[in-house]
Short mmCIF file of all heavy atoms in Angstrom, two decimals:
data_model
loop_
_atom_site.label_atom_id
_atom_site.label_comp_id
_atom_site.label_asym_id
_atom_site.label_seq_id
_atom_site.Cartn_x
_atom_site.Cartn_y
_atom_site.Cartn_z
N MET A 4 170.11 26.58 68.00
CA MET A 4 169.93 25.60 66.94
C MET A 4 171.21 24.76 66.82
O MET A 4 171.12 23.56 66.56
CB MET A 4 169.60 26.32 65.65
CG MET A 4 169.23 25.36 64.55
SD MET A 4 168.71 26.19 63.03
CE MET A 4 167.13 26.84 63.47
N ILE A 5 172.31 25.42 66.98
CA ILE A 5 173.59 24.68 66.89
C ILE A 5 173.69 23.70 68.05
O ILE A 5 174.11 22.57 67.85
CB ILE A 5 174.77 25.69 66.88
CG1 ILE A 5 174.72 26.53 65.60
CG2 ILE A 5 176.09 24.94 66.96
CD1 ILE A 5 175.76 27.61 65.59
N LEU A 6 173.31 24.15 69.24
CA LEU A 6 173.38 23.26 70.41
C LEU A 6 172.48 22.07 70.25
O LEU A 6 172.88 20.94 70.57
CB LEU A 6 173.01 24.08 71.66
CG LEU A 6 173.11 23.32 72.98
CD1 LEU A 6 174.55 22.90 73.21
CD2 LEU A 6 172.62 24.18 74.10
N LEU A 7 171.27 22.29 69.74
CA LEU A 7 170.32 21.17 69.52
C LEU A 7 170.89 20.21 68.48
O LEU A 7 170.79 18.99 68.62
CB LEU A 7 168.97 21.69 69.06
CG LEU A 7 167.91 20.65 68.77
CD1 LEU A 7 167.58 19.85 70.02
CD2 LEU A 7 166.69 21.32 68.21
N GLY A 8 171.51 20.74 67.44
CA GLY A 8 172.15 19.89 66.43
C GLY A 8 173.26 19.04 67.00
O GLY A 8 173.37 17.85 66.69
N VAL A 9 174.08 19.62 67.84
CA VAL A 9 175.17 18.89 68.48
C VAL A 9 174.64 17.80 69.38
O VAL A 9 175.13 16.66 69.38
CB VAL A 9 176.12 19.85 69.23
CG1 VAL A 9 177.11 19.07 70.06
CG2 VAL A 9 176.82 20.75 68.25
N ILE A 10 173.58 18.10 70.14
CA ILE A 10 172.97 17.11 71.02
C ILE A 10 172.44 15.93 70.19
O ILE A 10 172.61 14.77 70.53
CB ILE A 10 171.86 17.76 71.90
CG1 ILE A 10 172.50 18.70 72.88
CG2 ILE A 10 171.03 16.70 72.60
CD1 ILE A 10 171.51 19.56 73.64
N LEU A 11 171.73 16.26 69.10
CA LEU A 11 171.22 15.17 68.26
C LEU A 11 172.35 14.37 67.62
O LEU A 11 172.22 13.14 67.44
CB LEU A 11 170.30 15.75 67.17
CG LEU A 11 168.96 16.25 67.65
CD1 LEU A 11 168.18 16.87 66.50
CD2 LEU A 11 168.16 15.13 68.28
N LEU A 12 173.46 15.05 67.25
CA LEU A 12 174.60 14.32 66.71
C LEU A 12 175.15 13.32 67.71
O LEU A 12 175.43 12.15 67.37
CB LEU A 12 175.70 15.30 66.33
CG LEU A 12 175.57 15.99 64.99
CD1 LEU A 12 176.65 17.06 64.85
CD2 LEU A 12 175.66 15.02 63.85
N VAL A 13 175.27 13.74 68.95
CA VAL A 13 175.81 12.86 70.01
C VAL A 13 174.87 11.70 70.27
O VAL A 13 175.31 10.54 70.34
CB VAL A 13 176.10 13.68 71.29
CG1 VAL A 13 176.45 12.78 72.42
CG2 VAL A 13 177.22 14.67 71.03
N ILE A 14 173.58 12.00 70.40
CA ILE A 14 172.60 10.93 70.67
C ILE A 14 172.54 9.96 69.50
O ILE A 14 172.49 8.75 69.70
CB ILE A 14 171.22 11.54 70.96
CG1 ILE A 14 171.22 12.30 72.27
CG2 ILE A 14 170.15 10.45 70.99
CD1 ILE A 14 169.96 13.06 72.54
N GLY A 15 172.55 10.50 68.30
CA GLY A 15 172.51 9.62 67.10
C GLY A 15 173.78 8.77 66.99
O GLY A 15 173.70 7.61 66.59
N PHE A 16 174.91 9.31 67.38
CA PHE A 16 176.17 8.54 67.32
C PHE A 16 176.18 7.45 68.37
O PHE A 16 176.55 6.30 68.07
CB PHE A 16 177.36 9.47 67.49
CG PHE A 16 178.68 8.79 67.43
CD1 PHE A 16 179.17 8.33 66.21
CD2 PHE A 16 179.44 8.58 68.59
CE1 PHE A 16 180.38 7.68 66.14
CE2 PHE A 16 180.65 7.93 68.52
CZ PHE A 16 181.13 7.48 67.31
N ILE A 17 175.78 7.77 69.58
CA ILE A 17 175.82 6.80 70.66
C ILE A 17 174.78 5.71 70.45
O ILE A 17 175.08 4.51 70.64
CB ILE A 17 175.58 7.51 72.03
CG1 ILE A 17 176.79 8.38 72.35
CG2 ILE A 17 175.37 6.50 73.14
CD1 ILE A 17 176.59 9.27 73.57
N ALA A 18 173.56 6.08 70.05
CA ALA A 18 172.49 5.13 69.87
C ALA A 18 172.53 4.41 68.53
O ALA A 18 171.84 3.42 68.33
CB ALA A 18 171.13 5.81 70.05
N GLY A 19 173.32 4.94 67.61
CA GLY A 19 173.42 4.33 66.30
C GLY A 19 172.20 4.60 65.42
O GLY A 19 171.87 3.80 64.54
N ILE A 20 171.53 5.72 65.65
CA ILE A 20 170.33 6.07 64.89
C ILE A 20 170.77 7.09 63.84
O ILE A 20 171.09 8.24 64.14
CB ILE A 20 169.25 6.66 65.80
CG1 ILE A 20 168.87 5.64 66.89
CG2 ILE A 20 168.02 7.02 64.99
CD1 ILE A 20 167.96 6.18 67.96
N SER A 21 170.73 6.67 62.60
CA SER A 21 171.30 7.53 61.52
C SER A 21 170.42 8.73 61.23
O SER A 21 170.94 9.76 60.80
CB SER A 21 171.47 6.70 60.24
OG SER A 21 170.23 6.22 59.78
N ILE A 22 169.09 8.65 61.47
CA ILE A 22 168.24 9.80 61.17
C ILE A 22 168.53 10.94 62.13
O ILE A 22 168.50 12.12 61.73
CB ILE A 22 166.75 9.42 61.18
CG1 ILE A 22 165.88 10.56 60.66
CG2 ILE A 22 166.28 8.99 62.56
CD1 ILE A 22 166.02 10.81 59.18
N LEU A 23 168.85 10.65 63.39
CA LEU A 23 169.24 11.69 64.33
C LEU A 23 170.55 12.32 63.94
O LEU A 23 170.75 13.53 64.09
CB LEU A 23 169.31 11.14 65.75
CG LEU A 23 168.02 10.77 66.43
CD1 LEU A 23 168.29 10.26 67.83
CD2 LEU A 23 167.06 11.91 66.46
N TRP A 24 171.45 11.51 63.43
CA TRP A 24 172.75 12.00 62.95
C TRP A 24 172.53 12.98 61.81
O TRP A 24 173.11 14.06 61.79
CB TRP A 24 173.59 10.78 62.53
CG TRP A 24 174.96 11.12 62.04
CD1 TRP A 24 175.35 11.20 60.74
CD2 TRP A 24 176.11 11.42 62.83
NE1 TRP A 24 176.69 11.51 60.68
CE2 TRP A 24 177.17 11.66 61.94
CE3 TRP A 24 176.35 11.50 64.19
CZ2 TRP A 24 178.44 11.98 62.38
CZ3 TRP A 24 177.62 11.83 64.61
CH2 TRP A 24 178.65 12.04 63.70
N THR A 25 171.67 12.62 60.87
CA THR A 25 171.42 13.46 59.71
C THR A 25 170.74 14.77 60.07
O THR A 25 171.14 15.85 59.65
CB THR A 25 170.53 12.71 58.72
OG1 THR A 25 171.15 11.48 58.36
CG2 THR A 25 170.28 13.53 57.45
N ILE A 26 169.72 14.69 60.95
CA ILE A 26 169.02 15.91 61.39
C ILE A 26 169.99 16.78 62.18
O ILE A 26 169.95 18.01 62.06
CB ILE A 26 167.78 15.51 62.24
CG1 ILE A 26 166.75 14.82 61.35
CG2 ILE A 26 167.17 16.75 62.91
CD1 ILE A 26 165.59 14.24 62.12
N GLY A 27 170.85 16.20 63.01
CA GLY A 27 171.81 16.98 63.74
C GLY A 27 172.79 17.74 62.83
O GLY A 27 173.07 18.90 63.09
N ILE A 28 173.24 17.09 61.79
CA ILE A 28 174.15 17.77 60.85
C ILE A 28 173.43 18.93 60.18
O ILE A 28 173.98 20.04 60.03
CB ILE A 28 174.68 16.76 59.79
CG1 ILE A 28 175.63 15.78 60.43
CG2 ILE A 28 175.34 17.48 58.63
CD1 ILE A 28 176.07 14.65 59.54
N ILE A 29 172.18 18.71 59.76
CA ILE A 29 171.40 19.78 59.10
C ILE A 29 171.22 20.96 60.04
O ILE A 29 171.38 22.11 59.65
CB ILE A 29 170.06 19.22 58.60
CG1 ILE A 29 170.29 18.24 57.44
CG2 ILE A 29 169.13 20.34 58.17
CD1 ILE A 29 169.07 17.44 57.05
N LEU A 30 170.87 20.69 61.31
CA LEU A 30 170.66 21.77 62.25
C LEU A 30 171.94 22.54 62.56
O LEU A 30 171.92 23.77 62.67
CB LEU A 30 170.08 21.23 63.55
CG LEU A 30 168.62 20.83 63.52
CD1 LEU A 30 168.19 20.28 64.85
CD2 LEU A 30 167.74 22.00 63.14
N VAL A 31 173.05 21.83 62.66
CA VAL A 31 174.32 22.52 62.90
C VAL A 31 174.69 23.43 61.71
O VAL A 31 175.10 24.57 61.90
CB VAL A 31 175.45 21.51 63.15
CG1 VAL A 31 176.81 22.15 63.12
CG2 VAL A 31 175.25 20.82 64.50
N VAL A 32 174.49 22.96 60.51
CA VAL A 32 174.82 23.75 59.31
C VAL A 32 173.93 24.99 59.22
O VAL A 32 174.41 26.10 59.00
CB VAL A 32 174.73 22.89 58.05
CG1 VAL A 32 174.81 23.74 56.80
CG2 VAL A 32 175.84 21.84 58.02
N ILE A 33 172.62 24.78 59.39
CA ILE A 33 171.68 25.91 59.30
C ILE A 33 171.96 26.92 60.42
O ILE A 33 172.00 28.13 60.19
CB ILE A 33 170.24 25.44 59.35
CG1 ILE A 33 169.90 24.67 58.09
CG2 ILE A 33 169.27 26.59 59.55
CD1 ILE A 33 168.54 24.03 58.11
N GLY A 34 172.22 26.42 61.64
CA GLY A 34 172.53 27.30 62.74
C GLY A 34 173.81 28.10 62.51
O GLY A 34 173.88 29.29 62.81
N ALA A 35 174.82 27.45 61.94
CA ALA A 35 176.09 28.14 61.68
C ALA A 35 175.89 29.23 60.60
O ALA A 35 176.43 30.32 60.72
CB ALA A 35 177.14 27.14 61.22
N VAL A 36 175.10 28.95 59.57
CA VAL A 36 174.86 29.91 58.52
C VAL A 36 174.10 31.14 59.08
O VAL A 36 174.48 32.28 58.81
CB VAL A 36 174.08 29.29 57.36
CG1 VAL A 36 173.55 30.35 56.40
CG2 VAL A 36 174.95 28.30 56.60
N LEU A 37 173.09 30.87 59.90
CA LEU A 37 172.33 31.99 60.48
C LEU A 37 173.20 32.80 61.45
O LEU A 37 173.09 34.02 61.52
CB LEU A 37 171.09 31.45 61.20
CG LEU A 37 170.00 30.88 60.31
CD1 LEU A 37 168.87 30.32 61.16
CD2 LEU A 37 169.48 31.95 59.36
N TRP A 38 174.06 32.12 62.18
CA TRP A 38 174.97 32.78 63.11
C TRP A 38 175.94 33.70 62.35
O TRP A 38 176.15 34.86 62.72
CB TRP A 38 175.70 31.77 63.94
CG TRP A 38 176.60 32.34 64.98
CD1 TRP A 38 176.54 33.57 65.58
CD2 TRP A 38 177.71 31.68 65.58
NE1 TRP A 38 177.54 33.71 66.50
CE2 TRP A 38 178.27 32.56 66.54
CE3 TRP A 38 178.30 30.44 65.42
CZ2 TRP A 38 179.37 32.23 67.28
CZ3 TRP A 38 179.38 30.10 66.19
CH2 TRP A 38 179.92 30.99 67.10
N ILE A 39 176.50 33.20 61.26
CA ILE A 39 177.43 33.97 60.46
C ILE A 39 176.75 35.17 59.84
O ILE A 39 177.27 36.29 59.84
CB ILE A 39 178.12 33.09 59.39
CG1 ILE A 39 179.05 32.08 60.07
CG2 ILE A 39 178.85 33.94 58.36
CD1 ILE A 39 179.55 31.00 59.14
N LEU A 40 175.54 34.98 59.30
CA LEU A 40 174.80 36.11 58.72
C LEU A 40 174.45 37.15 59.77
O LEU A 40 174.52 38.34 59.52
CB LEU A 40 173.54 35.60 58.03
CG LEU A 40 173.71 34.89 56.70
CD1 LEU A 40 172.39 34.33 56.22
CD2 LEU A 40 174.33 35.79 55.69
N GLY A 41 174.06 36.69 60.94
CA GLY A 41 173.75 37.61 62.03
C GLY A 41 174.97 38.40 62.49
O GLY A 41 174.90 39.58 62.78
N ALA A 42 176.12 37.70 62.55
CA ALA A 42 177.33 38.35 62.98
C ALA A 42 177.83 39.35 61.93
O ALA A 42 178.51 40.33 62.27
CB ALA A 42 178.43 37.33 63.26
N ALA A 43 177.46 39.12 60.68
CA ALA A 43 177.90 40.02 59.61
C ALA A 43 177.00 41.27 59.53
O ALA A 43 177.24 42.15 58.71
CB ALA A 43 177.90 39.30 58.26
N GLY A 44 175.94 41.31 60.33
CA GLY A 44 175.09 42.47 60.34
C GLY A 44 173.84 42.38 59.48
O GLY A 44 173.09 43.33 59.36
N HIS A 45 173.60 41.24 58.88
CA HIS A 45 172.41 41.07 58.07
C HIS A 45 171.24 40.68 58.98
O HIS A 45 171.38 39.85 59.85
CB HIS A 45 172.59 39.95 57.03
CG HIS A 45 173.63 40.29 56.01
ND1 HIS A 45 173.34 41.11 54.91
CD2 HIS A 45 174.91 39.93 55.90
CE1 HIS A 45 174.44 41.23 54.21
NE2 HIS A 45 175.40 40.53 54.76
N ALA A 46 170.08 41.26 58.75
CA ALA A 46 168.91 40.92 59.51
C ALA A 46 168.29 39.65 58.93
O ALA A 46 167.87 39.63 57.77
CB ALA A 46 167.89 42.06 59.46
N VAL A 47 168.31 38.60 59.70
CA VAL A 47 167.75 37.32 59.23
C VAL A 47 166.43 37.12 59.95
O VAL A 47 166.40 36.94 61.17
CB VAL A 47 168.71 36.17 59.55
CG1 VAL A 47 168.12 34.87 59.07
CG2 VAL A 47 170.06 36.42 58.90
N GLY A 48 165.34 37.17 59.22
CA GLY A 48 164.04 36.95 59.81
C GLY A 48 163.63 38.10 60.72
O GLY A 48 162.85 37.91 61.65
N GLY A 49 164.13 39.29 60.44
CA GLY A 49 163.81 40.44 61.29
C GLY A 49 162.41 40.94 61.06
O GLY A 49 161.77 40.65 60.04
N ARG A 50 161.97 41.77 61.97
CA ARG A 50 160.64 42.35 61.85
C ARG A 50 160.77 43.79 61.37
O ARG A 50 161.73 44.47 61.71
CB ARG A 50 159.93 42.33 63.19
CG ARG A 50 159.67 40.94 63.69
CD ARG A 50 158.78 40.98 64.92
NE ARG A 50 158.50 39.64 65.37
CZ ARG A 50 159.06 39.07 66.39
NH1 ARG A 50 159.94 39.68 67.13
NH2 ARG A 50 158.72 37.82 66.73
N LYS A 51 159.76 44.24 60.62
CA LYS A 51 159.77 45.64 60.17
C LYS A 51 159.19 46.50 61.28
O LYS A 51 158.20 46.17 61.89
CB LYS A 51 158.93 45.78 58.91
CG LYS A 51 159.56 45.19 57.68
CD LYS A 51 158.76 45.54 56.48
CE LYS A 51 159.45 45.02 55.24
NZ LYS A 51 158.74 45.43 54.02
N HIS A 52 159.82 47.63 61.47
CA HIS A 52 159.33 48.60 62.43
C HIS A 52 158.89 49.84 61.66
O HIS A 52 159.64 50.33 60.81
CB HIS A 52 160.41 48.95 63.45
CG HIS A 52 160.85 47.81 64.26
ND1 HIS A 52 160.09 47.29 65.29
CD2 HIS A 52 161.96 47.02 64.20
CE1 HIS A 52 160.70 46.25 65.83
NE2 HIS A 52 161.85 46.05 65.19
N TYR A 53 157.70 50.31 61.93
CA TYR A 53 157.14 51.39 61.13
C TYR A 53 157.23 52.75 61.81
O TYR A 53 156.41 53.62 61.62
CB TYR A 53 155.67 51.05 60.81
CG TYR A 53 155.57 49.86 59.93
CD1 TYR A 53 155.09 48.63 60.43
CD2 TYR A 53 155.90 49.91 58.57
CE1 TYR A 53 154.99 47.51 59.61
CE2 TYR A 53 155.80 48.82 57.76
CZ TYR A 53 155.34 47.63 58.28
OH TYR A 53 155.24 46.53 57.45
N TRP A 54 158.20 52.97 62.65
CA TRP A 54 158.36 54.28 63.25
C TRP A 54 159.64 54.90 62.86
O TRP A 54 160.57 54.43 62.42
CB TRP A 54 158.16 54.27 64.75
CG TRP A 54 159.16 53.43 65.49
CD1 TRP A 54 160.44 53.75 65.76
CD2 TRP A 54 158.97 52.12 65.99
NE1 TRP A 54 161.04 52.75 66.42
CE2 TRP A 54 160.16 51.71 66.59
CE3 TRP A 54 157.91 51.22 66.02
CZ2 TRP A 54 160.31 50.48 67.16
CZ3 TRP A 54 158.07 50.03 66.60
CH2 TRP A 54 159.27 49.66 67.20
#
């Protein structure tokens, strides 16, 4: 998600399309938050196992 956000940031900056820039920033922020939570040991969107 972070990689996709960075790609959209670059494309939006080069092409001058502000909506791609905005979506890229949002994806980078969400990806960073999920990465930090995952690295801290929290299960984000995990599945329950019943065994």
Side-chain angles (χ1 to χ4, degrees):
M4 188 176 289
I5 295 174
L6 183 62
L7 180 63
V9 170
I10 291 171
L11 288 177
L12 279 173
V13 171
I14 292 172
F16 181 72
I17 292 172
I20 303 172
S21 63
I22 189 70
L23 289 181
W24 181 259
T25 305
I26 293 172
I28 291 173
I29 292 170
L30 285 178
V31 167
V32 169
I33 292 174
V36 167
L37 291 176
W38 183 22
I39 291 169
L40 286 175
H45 295 280
V47 179
R50 296 188 177 104
K51 289 187 176 184
H52 297 285
Y53 294 107
W54 62 79

